PDB file of all heavy atoms in Angstrom:
ATOM      1  N   THR A  88     -30.666  26.954  -2.580  1.00 98.00           N
ATOM      2  CA  THR A  88     -29.305  26.986  -1.910  1.00 98.00           C
ATOM      3  C   THR A  88     -29.257  25.794  -0.923  1.00 98.00           C
ATOM      4  O   THR A  88     -30.140  25.467  -0.245  1.00 98.00           O
ATOM      5  CB  THR A  88     -28.934  28.338  -1.263  1.00 98.00           C
ATOM      6  OG1 THR A  88     -29.874  28.531  -0.184  1.00 98.00           O
ATOM      7  CG2 THR A  88     -28.989  29.481  -2.167  1.00 98.00           C
ATOM      8  N   TRP A  89     -27.994  25.298  -0.776  1.00 97.00           N
ATOM      9  CA  TRP A  89     -27.713  24.430   0.230  1.00 97.00           C
ATOM     10  C   TRP A  89     -26.249  24.151   0.459  1.00 97.00           C
ATOM     11  O   TRP A  89     -25.370  24.725  -0.227  1.00 97.00           O
ATOM     12  CB  TRP A  89     -28.330  22.999  -0.236  1.00 97.00           C
ATOM     13  CG  TRP A  89     -27.620  22.341  -1.417  1.00 97.00           C
ATOM     14  CD1 TRP A  89     -26.534  21.496  -1.398  1.00 97.00           C
ATOM     15  CD2 TRP A  89     -27.937  22.537  -2.832  1.00 97.00           C
ATOM     16  NE1 TRP A  89     -26.196  21.121  -2.696  1.00 97.00           N
ATOM     17  CE2 TRP A  89     -27.064  21.792  -3.528  1.00 97.00           C
ATOM     18  CE3 TRP A  89     -28.913  23.229  -3.465  1.00 97.00           C
ATOM     19  CZ2 TRP A  89     -27.144  21.793  -4.912  1.00 97.00           C
ATOM     20  CZ3 TRP A  89     -28.964  23.295  -4.810  1.00 97.00           C
ATOM     21  CH2 TRP A  89     -28.062  22.497  -5.553  1.00 97.00           C
ATOM     22  N   THR A  90     -25.823  23.379   1.498  1.00 95.00           N
ATOM     23  CA  THR A  90     -24.435  23.045   1.718  1.00 95.00           C
ATOM     24  C   THR A  90     -24.355  21.567   1.758  1.00 95.00           C
ATOM     25  O   THR A  90     -25.285  20.885   2.442  1.00 95.00           O
ATOM     26  CB  THR A  90     -23.984  23.615   3.159  1.00 95.00           C
ATOM     27  OG1 THR A  90     -24.097  25.025   3.104  1.00 95.00           O
ATOM     28  CG2 THR A  90     -22.574  23.241   3.434  1.00 95.00           C
ATOM     29  N   ASN A  91     -23.365  21.033   1.182  1.00 95.00           N
ATOM     30  CA  ASN A  91     -23.204  19.479   1.058  1.00 95.00           C
ATOM     31  C   ASN A  91     -22.973  18.829   2.400  1.00 95.00           C
ATOM     32  O   ASN A  91     -22.556  19.421   3.357  1.00 95.00           O
ATOM     33  CB  ASN A  91     -22.115  19.186   0.081  1.00 95.00           C
ATOM     34  CG  ASN A  91     -22.413  19.546  -1.336  1.00 95.00           C
ATOM     35  OD1 ASN A  91     -23.582  19.492  -1.805  1.00 95.00           O
ATOM     36  ND2 ASN A  91     -21.449  19.912  -2.133  1.00 95.00           N
ATOM     37  N   PRO A  92     -23.268  17.581   2.379  1.00 96.00           N
ATOM     38  CA  PRO A  92     -23.014  16.738   3.677  1.00 96.00           C
ATOM     39  C   PRO A  92     -21.550  16.452   3.883  1.00 96.00           C
ATOM     40  O   PRO A  92     -20.677  16.742   2.992  1.00 96.00           O
ATOM     41  CB  PRO A  92     -23.837  15.491   3.477  1.00 96.00           C
ATOM     42  CG  PRO A  92     -23.780  15.273   2.042  1.00 96.00           C
ATOM     43  CD  PRO A  92     -23.807  16.740   1.349  1.00 96.00           C
ATOM     44  N   THR A  93     -21.226  16.083   5.029  1.00 96.00           N
ATOM     45  CA  THR A  93     -19.880  15.709   5.506  1.00 96.00           C
ATOM     46  C   THR A  93     -19.458  14.414   4.718  1.00 96.00           C
ATOM     47  O   THR A  93     -20.359  13.514   4.698  1.00 96.00           O
ATOM     48  CB  THR A  93     -19.676  15.573   6.926  1.00 96.00           C
ATOM     49  OG1 THR A  93     -19.919  16.905   7.563  1.00 96.00           O
ATOM     50  CG2 THR A  93     -18.285  15.082   7.287  1.00 96.00           C
ATOM     51  N   CYS A  94     -18.245  14.346   4.172  1.00 94.00           N
ATOM     52  CA  CYS A  94     -17.757  12.973   3.633  1.00 94.00           C
ATOM     53  C   CYS A  94     -16.651  12.473   4.383  1.00 94.00           C
ATOM     54  O   CYS A  94     -15.720  13.253   4.826  1.00 94.00           O
ATOM     55  CB  CYS A  94     -17.366  13.413   2.193  1.00 94.00           C
ATOM     56  SG  CYS A  94     -16.706  12.044   1.303  1.00 94.00           S
ATOM     57  N   CYS A  95     -16.666  11.201   4.563  1.00 94.00           N
ATOM     58  CA  CYS A  95     -15.555  10.571   5.372  1.00 94.00           C
ATOM     59  C   CYS A  95     -14.937   9.434   4.404  1.00 94.00           C
ATOM     60  O   CYS A  95     -15.688   8.581   3.997  1.00 94.00           O
ATOM     61  CB  CYS A  95     -16.048   9.973   6.694  1.00 94.00           C
ATOM     62  SG  CYS A  95     -14.757   9.288   7.682  1.00 94.00           S
ATOM     63  N   VAL A  96     -13.619   9.403   4.307  1.00 92.00           N
ATOM     64  CA  VAL A  96     -12.980   8.433   3.491  1.00 92.00           C
ATOM     65  C   VAL A  96     -12.230   7.493   4.464  1.00 92.00           C
ATOM     66  O   VAL A  96     -11.351   8.002   5.217  1.00 92.00           O
ATOM     67  CB  VAL A  96     -11.987   9.105   2.467  1.00 92.00           C
ATOM     68  CG1 VAL A  96     -11.260   7.982   1.671  1.00 92.00           C
ATOM     69  CG2 VAL A  96     -12.597   9.964   1.556  1.00 92.00           C
ATOM     70  N   HIS A  97     -12.581   6.223   4.495  1.00 92.00           N
ATOM     71  CA  HIS A  97     -12.035   5.372   5.341  1.00 92.00           C
ATOM     72  C   HIS A  97     -10.698   4.589   4.754  1.00 92.00           C
ATOM     73  O   HIS A  97     -10.699   4.500   3.570  1.00 92.00           O
ATOM     74  CB  HIS A  97     -12.947   4.279   5.879  1.00 92.00           C
ATOM     75  CG  HIS A  97     -14.051   4.851   6.723  1.00 92.00           C
ATOM     76  ND1 HIS A  97     -14.115   4.871   8.013  1.00 92.00           N
ATOM     77  CD2 HIS A  97     -15.195   5.445   6.273  1.00 92.00           C
ATOM     78  CE1 HIS A  97     -15.191   5.450   8.467  1.00 92.00           C
ATOM     79  NE2 HIS A  97     -15.948   5.839   7.441  1.00 92.00           N
ATOM     80  N   ASN A  98      -9.811   4.236   5.591  1.00 90.00           N
ATOM     81  CA  ASN A  98      -8.580   3.408   5.165  1.00 90.00           C
ATOM     82  C   ASN A  98      -7.802   4.159   4.258  1.00 90.00           C
ATOM     83  O   ASN A  98      -7.389   3.634   3.093  1.00 90.00           O
ATOM     84  CB  ASN A  98      -9.046   2.066   4.575  1.00 90.00           C
ATOM     85  CG  ASN A  98      -9.789   1.149   5.538  1.00 90.00           C
ATOM     86  OD1 ASN A  98      -9.610   1.376   6.807  1.00 90.00           O
ATOM     87  ND2 ASN A  98     -10.714   0.347   5.096  1.00 90.00           N
ATOM     88  N   VAL A  99      -7.452   5.368   4.593  1.00 86.00           N
ATOM     89  CA  VAL A  99      -6.590   6.319   3.620  1.00 86.00           C
ATOM     90  C   VAL A  99      -5.082   5.731   3.613  1.00 86.00           C
ATOM     91  O   VAL A  99      -4.507   5.981   2.538  1.00 86.00           O
ATOM     92  CB  VAL A  99      -6.576   7.606   4.111  1.00 86.00           C
ATOM     93  CG1 VAL A  99      -7.976   8.259   3.864  1.00 86.00           C
ATOM     94  CG2 VAL A  99      -6.109   7.801   5.530  1.00 86.00           C
ATOM     95  N   ILE A 100      -4.716   4.892   4.474  1.00 84.00           N
ATOM     96  CA  ILE A 100      -3.302   4.414   4.608  1.00 84.00           C
ATOM     97  C   ILE A 100      -3.308   2.896   4.051  1.00 84.00           C
ATOM     98  O   ILE A 100      -2.533   2.521   3.188  1.00 84.00           O
ATOM     99  CB  ILE A 100      -2.584   4.603   5.938  1.00 84.00           C
ATOM    100  CG1 ILE A 100      -2.703   6.095   6.418  1.00 84.00           C
ATOM    101  CG2 ILE A 100      -1.170   4.056   5.866  1.00 84.00           C
ATOM    102  CD1 ILE A 100      -1.861   7.009   5.395  1.00 84.00           C
ATOM    103  N   ILE A 101      -4.107   2.101   4.809  1.00 85.00           N
ATOM    104  CA  ILE A 101      -4.055   0.650   4.423  1.00 85.00           C
ATOM    105  C   ILE A 101      -5.499   0.224   4.464  1.00 85.00           C
ATOM    106  O   ILE A 101      -6.524   0.823   4.905  1.00 85.00           O
ATOM    107  CB  ILE A 101      -3.346  -0.220   5.424  1.00 85.00           C
ATOM    108  CG1 ILE A 101      -3.980   0.000   6.888  1.00 85.00           C
ATOM    109  CG2 ILE A 101      -1.880   0.176   5.422  1.00 85.00           C
ATOM    110  CD1 ILE A 101      -3.395  -0.962   7.924  1.00 85.00           C
ATOM    111  N   GLY A 102      -5.859  -0.930   3.699  1.00 86.00           N
ATOM    112  CA  GLY A 102      -7.076  -1.493   3.658  1.00 86.00           C
ATOM    113  C   GLY A 102      -7.801  -1.031   2.455  1.00 86.00           C
ATOM    114  O   GLY A 102      -7.308  -0.242   1.627  1.00 86.00           O
ATOM    115  N   LYS A 103      -9.085  -1.559   2.248  1.00 86.00           N
ATOM    116  CA  LYS A 103      -9.861  -1.053   1.108  1.00 86.00           C
ATOM    117  C   LYS A 103     -10.455   0.320   1.379  1.00 86.00           C
ATOM    118  O   LYS A 103     -11.221   0.404   2.384  1.00 86.00           O
ATOM    119  CB  LYS A 103     -10.961  -2.228   0.814  1.00 86.00           C
ATOM    120  CG  LYS A 103     -11.748  -1.879  -0.425  1.00 86.00           C
ATOM    121  CD  LYS A 103     -12.799  -2.920  -0.574  1.00 86.00           C
ATOM    122  CE  LYS A 103     -13.715  -2.643  -1.829  1.00 86.00           C
ATOM    123  NZ  LYS A 103     -14.666  -3.669  -1.975  1.00 86.00           N
ATOM    124  N   LEU A 104     -10.310   1.152   0.438  1.00 87.00           N
ATOM    125  CA  LEU A 104     -10.882   2.497   0.510  1.00 87.00           C
ATOM    126  C   LEU A 104     -12.451   2.367   0.451  1.00 87.00           C
ATOM    127  O   LEU A 104     -13.042   1.689  -0.311  1.00 87.00           O
ATOM    128  CB  LEU A 104     -10.423   3.417  -0.475  1.00 87.00           C
ATOM    129  CG  LEU A 104      -9.016   3.985  -0.420  1.00 87.00           C
ATOM    130  CD1 LEU A 104      -8.528   4.679  -1.650  1.00 87.00           C
ATOM    131  CD2 LEU A 104      -8.909   4.990   0.868  1.00 87.00           C
ATOM    132  N   TRP A 105     -13.218   3.131   1.312  1.00 90.00           N
ATOM    133  CA  TRP A 105     -14.591   3.248   1.166  1.00 90.00           C
ATOM    134  C   TRP A 105     -15.061   4.597   1.783  1.00 90.00           C
ATOM    135  O   TRP A 105     -14.326   5.084   2.689  1.00 90.00           O
ATOM    136  CB  TRP A 105     -15.343   2.113   1.840  1.00 90.00           C
ATOM    137  CG  TRP A 105     -15.193   1.808   3.315  1.00 90.00           C
ATOM    138  CD1 TRP A 105     -14.174   1.315   3.859  1.00 90.00           C
ATOM    139  CD2 TRP A 105     -16.176   2.247   4.196  1.00 90.00           C
ATOM    140  NE1 TRP A 105     -14.329   1.302   5.204  1.00 90.00           N
ATOM    141  CE2 TRP A 105     -15.650   1.767   5.509  1.00 90.00           C
ATOM    142  CE3 TRP A 105     -17.396   2.846   4.311  1.00 90.00           C
ATOM    143  CZ2 TRP A 105     -16.174   2.061   6.784  1.00 90.00           C
ATOM    144  CZ3 TRP A 105     -18.066   3.076   5.436  1.00 90.00           C
ATOM    145  CH2 TRP A 105     -17.445   2.637   6.629  1.00 90.00           C
ATOM    146  N   ILE A 106     -16.179   5.127   1.345  1.00 92.00           N
ATOM    147  CA  ILE A 106     -16.583   6.413   1.849  1.00 92.00           C
ATOM    148  C   ILE A 106     -17.992   6.389   2.263  1.00 92.00           C
ATOM    149  O   ILE A 106     -18.792   5.508   1.924  1.00 92.00           O
ATOM    150  CB  ILE A 106     -16.501   7.460   0.771  1.00 92.00           C
ATOM    151  CG1 ILE A 106     -17.472   7.311  -0.466  1.00 92.00           C
ATOM    152  CG2 ILE A 106     -15.137   7.570   0.071  1.00 92.00           C
ATOM    153  CD1 ILE A 106     -17.609   8.394  -1.408  1.00 92.00           C
ATOM    154  N   GLU A 107     -18.316   7.212   3.061  1.00 94.00           N
ATOM    155  CA  GLU A 107     -19.679   7.489   3.525  1.00 94.00           C
ATOM    156  C   GLU A 107     -19.951   8.983   3.720  1.00 94.00           C
ATOM    157  O   GLU A 107     -18.942   9.800   3.851  1.00 94.00           O
ATOM    158  CB  GLU A 107     -19.977   6.768   4.929  1.00 94.00           C
ATOM    159  CG  GLU A 107     -19.166   7.249   6.082  1.00 94.00           C
ATOM    160  CD  GLU A 107     -19.575   6.626   7.389  1.00 94.00           C
ATOM    161  OE1 GLU A 107     -20.811   6.429   7.604  1.00 94.00           O
ATOM    162  OE2 GLU A 107     -18.636   6.350   8.280  1.00 94.00           O
ATOM    163  N   GLN A 108     -21.189   9.442   3.568  1.00 95.00           N
ATOM    164  CA  GLN A 108     -21.548  10.797   3.748  1.00 95.00           C
ATOM    165  C   GLN A 108     -22.630  10.902   4.833  1.00 95.00           C
ATOM    166  O   GLN A 108     -23.543   9.988   4.898  1.00 95.00           O
ATOM    167  CB  GLN A 108     -22.123  11.346   2.422  1.00 95.00           C
ATOM    168  CG  GLN A 108     -21.096  11.313   1.354  1.00 95.00           C
ATOM    169  CD  GLN A 108     -21.583  12.318   0.110  1.00 95.00           C
ATOM    170  OE1 GLN A 108     -21.146  13.473   0.202  1.00 95.00           O
ATOM    171  NE2 GLN A 108     -22.111  11.677  -0.864  1.00 95.00           N
ATOM    172  N   TYR A 109     -22.570  11.823   5.616  1.00 96.00           N
ATOM    173  CA  TYR A 109     -23.471  11.928   6.779  1.00 96.00           C
ATOM    174  C   TYR A 109     -23.684  13.442   7.100  1.00 96.00           C
ATOM    175  O   TYR A 109     -22.906  14.295   6.789  1.00 96.00           O
ATOM    176  CB  TYR A 109     -23.050  11.237   7.978  1.00 96.00           C
ATOM    177  CG  TYR A 109     -21.582  11.270   8.334  1.00 96.00           C
ATOM    178  CD1 TYR A 109     -21.077  12.365   9.041  1.00 96.00           C
ATOM    179  CD2 TYR A 109     -20.691  10.218   7.994  1.00 96.00           C
ATOM    180  CE1 TYR A 109     -19.771  12.386   9.397  1.00 96.00           C
ATOM    181  CE2 TYR A 109     -19.330  10.321   8.313  1.00 96.00           C
ATOM    182  CZ  TYR A 109     -18.851  11.487   9.049  1.00 96.00           C
ATOM    183  OH  TYR A 109     -17.500  11.460   9.383  1.00 96.00           O
ATOM    184  N   GLY A 110     -24.800  13.643   7.713  1.00 96.00           N
ATOM    185  CA  GLY A 110     -25.090  15.029   8.154  1.00 96.00           C
ATOM    186  C   GLY A 110     -26.458  15.515   7.518  1.00 96.00           C
ATOM    187  O   GLY A 110     -27.053  14.804   6.690  1.00 96.00           O
TER     188      GLY A 110
END
Side-chain angles (χ1 to χ4, degrees):
T88 62
W89 68 90
T90 299
N91 288 330
T93 296
C94 177
C95 186
V96 182
H97 295 266
N98 299 332
V99 291
I100 303 298
I101 60 170
K103 182 180 180 181
L104 283 169
W105 61 281
I106 69 170
E107 61 174 323
Q108 297 196 86
Y109 44 79

